[in-house]
Amino acid sequence: MQIIISNSSKEPIYEQITNQIKSSILTGELQEGSPIPSMRKLAKDLQISVITTKRAYEELEKAGFIYSIVGKGSFVAEQNLDLIKEKKLKVIEEQLSAVITNSREIGLSLDELQQIMRILYEE
Amino acid sequence: MDNVVELNNVTKQFKDFSVTDLNLQVKRGFVHGFIGANGAGKSTTIKMMMNLLKPDAGDVKVFGLDYKSHEKEIKERIGFVYDGNVFFEGMNLKDIKRIVAPAYKHWDDDVFKKYIDQFELPLNKSIKRFSKGMQMKASLAIALSHHAELIIMDEPTAGLDPIFRRELLELLQEIMIDGNRTIFFSTHITTDLDRIADYIAFINKGQLIFNKTIHEVSESYAIVKGRKELLDRDTEKAFVNIHQSSVGFEALTDDLAGAENTFGDSAVIERATLEDIMYYMKGGMQHV
Amino acid sequence: MFNLIRRDVILQKRLLMLFIPCLLFLIIMDANPAFIFLFASIYIPFNTYAYDEKTETNILLNSLPYTRNEIIASRYLGALVYMVLAVAITSLILLLFNRSFTIIDIALSIGLFLLFVAIALPLFYIFKPGYISPILMFSFIFLAIIGPRIVSFAADHLTVVTNFLINLSNPILYTGSALAALTVYGASWGFTTFVYKYKAL
């Protein structure tokens, strides 16, 4: 598991951590049941305070991404990946329909829209 | 027991200076930074925690025990690092160890040796001829070699070069992997704390201004910059202290959400560093 | 507690190496045996006090798991321990050099030693550091030079007192002075403990 944090980002550090661990789980880089470093170890490796990693882990736990066993550490929770994907897909559909509405308003064709999409996607 | 150190309504009066009505809790398992300008009362507070000074009023509890009846038990579990060398000057580390080690029931020679190797400290060289950084490392090696639960450090980074300070902070984090350890350390170099502190206590002119997690600090304090027209009797209430100049104002607020509400996009609102907070507080609180 | 007393030896390893040469020097200089005993007894404790006068030392000792009472007790008990050792070593050396000395010499030096410590020790804890060592150094030399003369002067001139003392039987005289010296020593101990208890470090 790799985590890169930025001290100059506006996003709080604990959020950077939760987001990166979440995406590692969603992409399958972290398998369910596999251990993640203890919050004290992670704090040391990232050179940040324990209370920050503690907060990140608490939020991940609340959101159901990880679980902790006292004395053993934290592990990736069983994820219903299909459900999460389905939810994300729904959000994407909503966002895309807004894009299509906007495109129609200024007369953008489907081809042109796809072209813009391709450029952005490959960026 | 959650609090390793508890100061309750502690007051200490000197001729020209006093620490008044101090209430401070230090939580187990965290790094607690103690900031304040020179002469704000940091050393006095630490001395009261170590029973080097007795408060005129109020009480000091360490590990839930008081010094009156448990002095030895308490100090057995504390490791200390002070600003400046308190060890006998002309002696070498080997002799200092021979004096200090028998004082502790739980002195661990293997741990001591490990740190001596790690810090590359010479055992036979007089400590007087150590550099400032080496003296600090020597104090630290001694402080860490008796399985102390609480490490109290008074200005450990003062006078150290940046590289060494980084190394020290890294080492402190390594120590903190053991969740039973607590570090309380005073400093006026606040960037040390930005990295590793979990809690920050801020003392100014003998009074504790706050004792919060770093998240609470960054979620309540902020710097607001804007045009002077924005200031009036109502909006000024949001600020701890305001600096005005011909080109606008800069002010510190301790109510970030409130300031965002009041000013919205009409002013620039930035994260306040610990240094900002100390600097603005130096002028004294305008409201409470 | 024993550690605190033992600490003195570690603390002044190097000074201890000068101990024997100093004694030899005094012997060769044909100094008064009582003075040699006194010098030997004071050597270690006095050097430690000079160390302990420093604020840093007090901060160190008080940060270690010792109580303030123990720190003071170690000073007073340590002085006695080192006195006994010093008297033993000195006697041995004097015997080796075939120099005569009497029990009176030892008793006199022990009495003076107890008195000196009883007066000097509290000063270290009352006054600011830096002044006491030189003052004591001078008063010690002064006492050592003048002390015996005063005694002999008194013996010659204050006949009332000497007659009174002479008329006392030896056992009473010795027990009396021993008790007096120990009382002063004990009182000094109690006083220093009290002063140190409330000292700000």
Side-chain angles (χ1 to χ4, degrees):
Chain A
M1 183 183 80
Q2 301 206 12
I3 295 176
I4 313 293
I5 55 169
S6 155
N7 285 318
S8 52
S9 160
K10 266 216 134 174
E11 193 183 15
I13 291 172
Y14 72 88
E15 257 178 51
Q16 297 182 35
I17 298 170
T18 49
N19 286 339
Q20 290 183 44
I21 293 182
K22 269 185 204 168
S23 81
S24 295
I25 292 173
L26 289 180
T27 57
E29 191 197 322
L30 281 172
Q31 299 285 326
E32 68 176 66
S34 61
I36 57 172
S38 78
M39 61 186 191
R40 288 181 182 276
K41 175 82 168 47
L42 184 66
K44 191 209 154 238
D45 290 343
L46 291 175
Q47 300 201 359
I48 56 172
S49 59
V50 172
I51 211 163
T52 305
T53 50
K54 185 169 179 254
R55 182 157 176 184
Y57 278 26
E58 277 167 3
E59 307 236 319
L60 284 168
E61 231 172 287
K62 233 190 290 167
F65 282 93
I66 62 168
Y67 64 95
S68 303
I69 302 172
V70 179
K72 285 211 161 157
S74 302
F75 303 88
V76 176
E78 193 182 320
Q79 300 297 325
N80 195 336
L81 283 180
D82 290 339
L83 197 75
I84 294 168
K85 272 190 185 152
E86 211 172 287
K87 270 190 199 158
K88 285 252 173 194
L89 216 58
K90 223 176 142 201
V91 175
I92 292 169
E93 271 172 23
E94 275 168 21
Q95 287 169 334
L96 281 179
S97 26
V99 169
I100 290 166
T101 316
N102 274 329
S103 309
R104 284 200 175 123
E105 276 171 13
I106 57 164
L108 211 64
S109 75
L110 181 61
D111 271 351
E112 286 168 313
L113 189 59
Q114 278 174 331
Q115 215 172 347
I116 296 172
M117 189 87 121
R118 190 169 299 119
I119 293 166
L120 285 175
Y121 196 92
E122 283 162 3
E123 226 174 34
Chain B
M1 193 202 53
D2 240 12
N3 289 336
V4 177
V5 181
E6 260 177 70
L7 303 186
N8 299 314
N9 305 98
V10 165
T11 294
K12 180 79 195 175
Q13 200 100 34
F14 294 103
K15 258 184 229 140
D16 46 357
F17 167 75
S18 62
V19 169
T20 35
D21 211 22
L22 202 69
N23 285 289
L24 178 63
Q25 293 83 34
V26 179
K27 288 229 156 45
R28 176 182 294 276
F30 293 102
V31 177
H32 208 120
F34 190 34
I35 60 170
N38 286 327
K42 297 192 298 284
S43 286
T44 304
T45 307
I46 284 186
K47 281 181 170 181
M48 288 195 283
M49 281 183 186
M50 290 298 296
N51 202 32
L52 299 176
L53 277 179
K54 294 193 201 313
D56 300 333
D59 62 58
V60 177
K61 285 220 164 97
V62 185
F63 309 117
L65 306 168
D66 66 24
Y67 273 110
K68 217 169 227 157
S69 41
H70 298 94
E71 172 136 31
K72 292 178 98 163
E73 290 96 314
I74 294 172
K75 285 179 177 166
E76 195 73 62
R77 293 156 71 184
I78 297 180
F80 54 89
V81 174
Y82 297 129
D83 174 22
N85 176 35
V86 294
F87 299 105
F88 310 98
E89 271 208 334
M91 306 189 75
N92 60 32
L93 255 182
K94 208 160 85 193
D95 286 336
I96 289 173
K97 190 209 89 175
R98 261 198 259 167
I99 289 175
V100 172
Y104 291 107
K105 276 190 208 126
H106 304 293
W107 180 270
D108 190 331
D109 245 357
D110 295 335
V111 175
F112 182 71
K113 276 198 198 93
K114 190 196 96 185
Y115 282 118
I116 293 301
D117 289 345
Q118 188 183 334
F119 297 162
E120 299 175 339
L121 291 170
L123 281 171
N124 291 315
K125 186 174 168 181
S126 154
I127 202 160
K128 189 163 55 179
R129 286 165 43 221
F130 277 23
S131 68
K132 176 95 187 160
M134 276 162 75
Q135 282 187 8
M136 223 287 304
K137 281 178 175 169
S139 302
L140 201 60
I142 289 171
L144 296 176
S145 296
H146 57 98
H147 302 288
E149 293 159 53
L150 169 63
I151 315 284
I152 292 183
M153 303 197 282
D154 191 6
E155 299 275 359
T157 55
L160 299 180
D161 65 61
I163 296 167
F164 184 81
R165 291 214 322 262
R166 262 301 172 89
E167 278 173 27
L168 172 70
L169 298 184
E170 225 167 276
L171 178 78
L172 293 184
Q173 289 198 302
E174 203 179 292
I175 297 166
M176 290 305 288
I177 288 183
D178 174 356
N180 248 330
R181 281 249 171 80
T182 308
I183 295 179
F184 183 84
F185 96 86
S186 78
T187 181
H188 61 270
I189 305 167
T190 54
T191 44
D192 291 342
L193 297 172
D194 286 339
R195 285 182 165 272
I196 65 157
D198 300 305
Y199 288 84
I200 304 283
F202 175 35
I203 190 170
N204 193 33
K205 294 178 179 154
Q207 282 185 312
L208 193 76
I209 307 292
F210 62 72
N211 181 29
K212 296 173 178 219
T213 68
I214 46 159
H215 298 136
E216 285 164 348
V217 173
S218 65
E219 281 160 16
S220 49
Y221 285 91
I223 297 287
V224 181
K225 299 174 185 174
R227 301 176 62 83
K228 286 198 276 190
E229 295 90 79
L230 291 172
L231 293 174
D232 58 41
R233 212 183 302 146
D234 273 342
T235 55
E236 277 178 11
K237 276 189 196 145
F239 298 121
V240 174
N241 207 335
I242 304 171
H243 290 181
Q244 296 198 50
S245 73
S246 56
V247 292
F249 78 89
E250 280 186 44
L252 178 76
T253 178
D254 56 2
D255 176 15
L256 172 60
E260 274 171 344
N261 251 332
T262 316
F263 297 103
D265 287 335
S266 60
V268 178
I269 300 179
E270 289 176 343
R271 198 179 95 84
T273 62
L274 294 172
E275 205 177 288
D276 290 330
I277 297 172
M278 273 170 75
Y279 173 66
Y280 279 90
M281 290 285 189
K282 186 100 211 204
M285 294 272 275
Q286 288 191 340
H287 77 102
V288 178
Chain C
M1 178 92 105
F2 171 69
N3 298 320
L4 278 172
I5 297 175
R6 203 183 59 136
R7 164 189 80 113
D8 300 355
V9 183
I10 304 175
L11 207 53
Q12 34 191 314
K13 265 192 310 195
R14 231 165 292 143
L15 278 170
L16 275 177
M17 287 192 275
L18 280 174
F19 181 63
I20 306 284
C22 279
L23 281 187
L24 293 179
F25 174 76
L26 287 174
I27 289 170
I28 291 164
M29 292 301 285
D30 211 22
N32 184 327
F35 174 72
I36 299 179
F37 279 117
L38 181 59
F39 169 83
S41 310
I42 284 180
Y43 194 86
I44 293 179
F46 186 82
N47 279 320
T48 322
Y49 305 157
Y51 257 110
D52 283 5
E53 180 192 11
K54 297 196 181 104
T55 324
E56 296 83 46
T57 307
N58 280 297
I59 288 180
L60 171 66
L61 291 182
N62 277 281
S63 299
L64 294 173
Y66 294 120
T67 63
R68 293 193 178 198
N69 291 353
E70 282 177 331
I71 293 169
I72 295 302
S74 79
R75 298 290 66 135
Y76 279 86
L77 290 178
L80 295 180
V81 170
Y82 287 115
M83 177 194 76
V84 171
L85 287 177
V87 166
I89 293 172
T90 312
S91 311
L92 204 71
I93 294 178
L94 285 173
L95 285 174
L96 277 177
F97 278 76
N98 225 351
R99 288 278 311 272
S100 67
F101 63 96
T102 59
I103 294 294
I104 304 291
D105 289 330
I106 295 179
L108 185 65
S109 67
I110 288 179
L112 282 175
F113 170 76
L114 291 181
L115 209 62
F116 182 75
V117 172
I119 294 167
L121 251 183
L123 297 182
F124 281 101
Y125 297 100
I126 296 172
F127 290 116
K128 277 214 169 74
Y131 300 101
I132 310 120
S133 299
I135 292 175
L136 282 181
M137 190 85 83
F138 278 117
S139 51
F140 170 70
I141 293 168
F142 182 77
L143 186 75
I145 295 169
I146 300 297
R149 289 198 190 152
I150 290 179
V151 173
S152 54
F153 176 84
D156 291 344
H157 295 88
L158 298 172
T159 40
V160 186
V161 180
T162 24
N163 279 342
F164 169 73
L165 290 176
I166 285 166
N167 284 335
L168 288 175
S169 65
N170 273 354
I172 292 181
L173 183 66
Y174 290 147
T175 8
S177 24
L179 277 180
L182 285 176
T183 311
V184 173
Y185 199 71
S188 165
W189 183 344
F191 176 73
T192 309
T193 304
F194 177 78
V195 168
Y196 197 56
K197 200 172 195 123
Y198 298 98
K199 194 179 164 83
L201 298 172

